[in-house]
């Protein structure tokens, strides 16, 4: 099973953790301690954002665009070259420019939902080439 790190454990981060945990080894990283929630969702939790990505095949940055630069700075030296890093911001130009500083593949996404409990039947706009493995998982989710 591949490794997925989700940075940011607000509503969208929680939805992705819940939906993707059957298909990935999920680690959630968040500044504030949300370890009890992560445990209930049966995903790993850390507050160490910098090191949370060191074994990741995929990284979802589920943080506000205003925090994206800081998060990218923190993970830049730790994210593996093989990883695919995706954001969940509503705008694309700024996040794509910020993520281009990483030495790995990046893709912009824009989930077309806010407060939901499932991605089934929901649209996600993609900016970039979708990874084949992640694409198969997404199609399974409907």
């Amino acid at each position: 099973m591949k490794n997925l790190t989700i940075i940011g454990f607000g509503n969208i981060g929680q939805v992705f953790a819940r939906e993707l945990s059957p298909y990935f080894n999920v680690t959630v990283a968040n500044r504030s301690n949300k370890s009890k929630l992560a445990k209930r969702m049966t995903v790993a939790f850390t507050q160490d954002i910098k090191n949370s990505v060191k074994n990741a095949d995929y990284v979802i940055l589920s943080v506000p665009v205003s925090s994206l630069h800081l998060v990218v700075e923190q993970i830049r030296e730790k994210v593996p070259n093989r990883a695919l890093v995706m954001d969940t911001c509503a705008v694309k130009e700024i996040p794509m420019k910020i993520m281009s500083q990483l030495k790995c593949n990046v893709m912009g996404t824009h989930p077309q939902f806010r407060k939901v409990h499932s991605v089934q039947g929901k649209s996600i706009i993609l900016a970039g080439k979708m990874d084949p493995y992640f694409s198969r998982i997404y199609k399974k989710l409907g």
Side-chain angles (χ1 to χ4, degrees):
M1 199 175 291
K2 296 191 181 238
N3 297 318
L4 168 67
T5 298
I6 301 171
I7 300 177
F9 204 32
N11 187 60
I12 291 177
Q14 290 172 35
V15 169
F16 281 119
R18 185 181 313 105
E19 295 284 327
L20 297 175
S21 63
Y23 308 102
F24 295 92
N25 295 316
V26 176
T27 298
V28 177
N30 200 75
R31 287 183 312 187
S32 61
N33 188 344
K34 294 192 176 185
S35 59
K36 289 180 183 176
L37 176 59
K39 186 175 182 178
R40 284 196 309 269
M41 295 176 76
T42 64
V43 298
F45 178 81
T46 184
Q47 286 181 273
D48 184 357
I49 292 171
K50 179 187 260 186
N51 288 304
S52 69
V53 299
K54 67 183 177 187
N55 296 315
D57 298 298
Y58 302 93
V59 178
I60 296 176
L61 304 176
S62 184
V63 298
V65 70
S66 59
S67 301
L68 197 61
H69 183 72
L70 177 62
V71 170
V72 168
E73 282 277 319
Q74 290 179 52
I75 68 171
R76 182 183 324 194
E77 299 303 320
K78 299 288 184 173
V79 68
N81 292 346
R82 71 177 186 283
L84 172 62
V85 176
M86 302 167 265
D87 78 305
T88 60
C89 299
V91 296
K92 289 290 119 249
E93 187 175 345
I94 293 170
M96 291 300 288
K97 185 175 181 178
I98 292 169
M99 291 189 305
S100 71
Q101 300 170 31
L102 297 168
K103 299 173 190 164
C104 62
N105 295 317
V106 298
M107 184 172 70
T109 72
H110 181 190
Q112 298 293 291
F113 55 84
R114 293 177 112 202
K115 296 187 178 193
V116 298
H117 295 287
S118 172
V119 297
Q120 292 184 350
K122 305 297 182 198
S123 297
I124 299 177
I125 297 171
L126 307 174
K129 185 179 176 196
M130 175 59 98
D131 172 88
Y133 181 80
F134 206 89
S135 180
R136 282 194 303 277
I137 300 302
Y138 185 68
K139 285 178 184 174
K140 285 182 184 180
L141 295 173

